[in-house]
Amino acid sequence: MSGDRPILEVRGLHKSFGHLEVLKGIDLAVRKGELVFVIGPSGSGKSTLLRCCNRLEEPSSGSILVEGVDVMAPGTNINAVRRRIGMVFQSFNLYPHLDALGNVSLALRKVVGQSRAEAELAGQAALERVGLAEKANSFPNELSGGQQQRVAIARALALQPAILLFDEPTSALDPELVGSVLAVMRELRESGMTMVVVSHEMRFARSAADRVIFMDHGLIVEQGTPEKLFNAPDHQRIKDFIASIEH
Amino acid sequence: MEQLVHNFFNFEILSQAWPLLLAGFWMTVKLTLVVVPLGLAGGLVVALASTSRRRLVRWLVVIYVDFFRAFPPLVLLMFIAFGLPFLGFDPGAFIAVALSFLLNTSSYYGEIFRAGIESITRGQHEAARSTGLSVPQTMVYVVLPQAVKNVVPDLVSNTLEVIKLTSLASVVALPELLYAARQAQSLTYNATPIIAAGIIYLVCLWPLVRLLSRFEHRQIALH
Ligand SMILES: Nc1ncnc2c1ncn2[C@@H]1O[C@H](COP(=O)(O)OP(=O)(O)OP(=O)(O)O)[C@@H](O)[C@H]1O
Ligand SMILES: [Mg+2]
């Protein structure tokens, strides 16, 4: 029964900043194990959509369900829900005063309530998954951008989330470092992680995404398989957008 | 020249005054050990209150900080020591000093901590919150460690000022170092005890000053 239920379900989501309506009614369901790719022009509301999902941004109306739990319901413990929704930011946002292992194990200790030993064991395992086991005791400023982003992914993974949200995870990276982060994301996908990815990495989208969503002006304009959206979209502005990015 | 040595650097006088100076020195140490931690703790509370979501709380903090930064600490101390007894509460000299210093220095320390907290980017808060940390946990484990580290030089610098300011306690006859020195001066008709007190301050505070300029150099190197 719970197998059919979407991991993430967004219904009629609206979000305004003052008079500016940024999301104008978003409906979206993400199934278990699915990788949904979100593209769209700057300012179309992609980040806001992701940030509403874990309530870093307070939705104006609509509902958001994560594993069937209404994120907006008054009785919902948002901190418990956030454990189930990992988030990876464009600017990594690692804690500079903690080493990689400290970054990854902090929430395990303080949110999950594990002992230091347990948390470090689980944290070490998460670092291993992103290929950085030997960097456990390095501080963020001792790591390359690609390594920092992989630690950030490990930090989210360590909590064993049901879904991971990525907001332009490779946009702040030097081109030669992008591949290492995409490789980790690909590995996650293959291991069945549910993911929503906002990114301009079209090549990655073509090979890894189950579904691509094109947003513009706060609405989902079109969605479909990567082949459909990239090769034969129904809307001319998608063609224009993709052409503008691939150059 | 001889006159100068006789009146300001007189070893005979110094040896007479020494027990008094030593007692004064210990009182200053004791005051510092009470007043600085109190000020730091009060400052932290003030800074945390200034991040409150309630506008009323933030307003009260602004009023508190503005008032105690603008109000002369000497007058504050005299009011607490000599005015409060008329309201039926006589705190005694030591408590009066501790209380007035708490009010005065917590507003300065508070502004320093607040600057530190504000130097931490929104991304740090969001990263922490996205892993399920609560607002207080985010403050304690993510924001404050970085914030405090960012303002250590300002904290040290303010602490230097606070230690020097403890000599205000002399106005309520608390026998700290400078009070003791003045007492010795009036007993001996000689300024040597004052000079000696000055040298004691210098010797004790100099390491802090060194530390501070090391921080300042490192900050320049970082930028
Ligand atoms: N906190 C905020 N306050 C006011 N306006 C905001 C805020 N956050 C976002 N906006 C506005 O909402 C709109 C959508 O922003 P959003 O960041 O979601 O777009 P995006 O699709 O992620 O764009 P980009 O590709 O540039 O990251 C923009 O016009 C932006 O200026
Ligand atoms: Mg964005």
Side-chain angles (χ1 to χ4, degrees):
Chain A
M1 36 157 259
S2 65
D4 312 336
R5 163 173 278 166
I7 296 284
L8 171 68
E9 208 173 349
V10 176
R11 292 191 204 133
L13 176 63
H14 288 255
K15 171 66 183 174
S16 301
F17 293 107
H19 293 296
L20 179 68
E21 194 176 23
V22 173
L23 298 177
K24 300 172 183 166
I26 301 281
D27 295 288
L28 172 68
V30 181
R31 293 186 311 276
K32 190 167 168 42
E34 201 179 13
L35 193 161
V36 174
F37 217 82
V38 182
I39 60 174
S42 181
S44 55
K46 308 180 296 291
S47 297
T48 306
L49 169 60
L50 289 194
R51 294 161 56 81
C52 282
C53 291
N54 64 355
R55 269 177 71 187
L56 283 184
E57 224 60 87
E58 209 58 45
S60 304
S61 67
S63 68
I64 296 167
L65 285 83
V66 175
E67 296 181 294
V69 175
D70 186 349
V71 171
M72 308 278 292
T76 300
N77 175 356
I78 187 62
N79 293 325
V81 176
R82 282 178 176 149
R83 272 173 61 181
R84 305 294 299 157
I85 318 173
M87 190 161 214
V88 176
F89 302 85
Q90 178 174 350
S91 49
F92 327 139
N93 296 338
L94 291 185
Y95 314 133
H97 63 299
L98 299 178
D99 63 12
L101 189 56
N103 268 274
V104 174
S105 54
L106 179 65
L108 289 173
R109 291 171 58 196
K110 304 305 172 189
V111 181
V112 184
Q114 293 181 353
S115 70
R116 180 187 278 269
E118 285 174 308
E120 291 192 341
L121 213 60
Q124 190 67 40
L127 285 174
E128 217 151 289
R129 264 189 96 177
V130 301
L132 289 175
E134 80 288 4
K135 294 290 185 188
N137 297 313
S138 299
F139 284 82
N141 64 7
E142 300 164 344
L143 298 171
S144 75
Q147 291 170 333
Q148 288 186 54
Q149 192 58 299
R150 283 147 67 199
V151 172
I153 293 173
R155 173 172 66 186
L157 268 183
L159 292 161
Q160 302 188 308
I163 183 169
L164 278 179
L165 310 175
F166 293 81
D167 193 358
E168 304 204 27
T170 59
S171 297
L173 297 177
D174 294 335
E176 72 272 17
L177 300 177
V178 169
S180 66
V181 171
L182 293 183
V184 166
M185 291 169 65
R186 198 181 297 276
E187 190 277 323
L188 287 177
R189 183 208 139 64
E190 274 153 23
S191 68
M193 177 59 74
T194 310
M195 304 198 264
V196 179
V197 180
V198 173
S199 168
H200 298 306
E201 297 291 339
M202 297 302 168
R203 207 135 28 99
F204 179 74
R206 279 177 201 274
S207 63
D210 296 296
R211 181 156 47 120
V212 178
I213 287 176
F214 180 82
M215 279 181 71
D216 200 8
H217 297 300
L219 285 168
I220 293 178
V221 176
E222 188 174 335
Q223 54 179 311
T225 62
E227 298 76 46
K228 169 82 169 98
L229 235 85
F230 291 140
N231 301 334
D234 296 336
H235 295 77
Q236 180 61 35
R237 50 181 153 153
I238 301 180
K239 275 184 202 156
D240 296 343
F241 173 75
I242 289 165
S244 76
I245 284 200
E246 290 192 328
H247 290 127
Chain B
M1 184 67 195
E2 224 168 274
Q3 282 294 322
L4 182 80
V5 171
H6 177 80
N7 279 306
F8 289 88
F9 302 98
N10 191 324
F11 276 99
E12 206 174 312
I13 299 283
L14 180 63
S15 64
Q16 282 174 22
W18 190 247
L20 208 55
L21 286 178
L22 203 61
F25 170 74
W26 286 118
M27 179 53 87
T28 293
V29 169
K30 199 167 129 190
L31 267 178
T32 299
L33 291 180
V34 169
V35 153
V36 170
L38 265 183
L40 284 167
L44 201 54
V45 171
V46 167
L48 290 174
S50 76
T51 68
S52 168
R53 276 185 218 176
R54 291 167 191 269
R55 184 173 299 175
L56 178 68
V57 175
R58 294 200 307 270
W59 269 52
L60 290 175
V61 170
V62 168
I63 292 169
Y64 176 91
V65 168
D66 283 5
F67 180 84
F68 286 111
R69 290 217 302 181
F71 199 74
L74 176 67
V75 182
L76 180 64
L77 172 57
M78 289 176 47
F79 176 76
I80 289 176
F82 307 132
L84 285 191
F86 287 110
L87 299 176
F89 172 64
D90 186 352
F94 195 89
I95 302 286
V97 172
L99 193 58
S100 61
F101 269 68
L102 172 63
L103 294 172
N104 176 260
T105 63
S106 66
S107 56
Y108 284 92
Y109 280 125
E111 286 296 279
I112 294 171
F113 281 126
R114 189 166 69 100
I117 290 170
E118 284 173 359
S119 74
I120 305 307
T121 59
R122 204 163 73 132
Q124 289 289 311
H125 292 263
E126 291 182 347
R129 300 283 280 134
S130 77
T131 62
L133 290 174
S134 65
V135 171
Q137 285 176 322
T138 299
M139 205 30 115
V140 171
Y141 300 114
V142 174
V143 176
L144 280 181
Q146 300 180 57
V148 171
K149 198 168 155 205
N150 287 352
V151 295
V152 164
D154 294 321
L155 292 175
V156 172
S157 167
N158 193 52
T159 300
L160 270 169
E161 295 307 315
V162 172
I163 294 173
K164 285 188 275 180
L165 205 63
T166 56
S167 62
L168 275 189
S170 61
V171 305
V172 294
L174 200 68
E176 48 70 54
L177 181 55
L178 216 57
Y179 182 87
R182 292 230 303 267
Q183 220 179 0
Q185 180 195 21
S186 62
L187 290 173
T188 59
Y189 300 103
N190 191 294
T192 301
I194 299 283
I195 298 294
I199 291 172
I200 293 173
Y201 270 112
L202 185 70
V203 168
C204 293
L205 296 185
W206 182 73
L208 277 182
V209 175
R210 270 291 83 219
L211 187 70
L212 194 58
S213 77
R214 287 251 303 270
F215 281 132
E216 278 157 2
H217 277 116
R218 194 181 316 159
Q219 284 202 323
I220 290 165
L222 280 176
H223 287 147

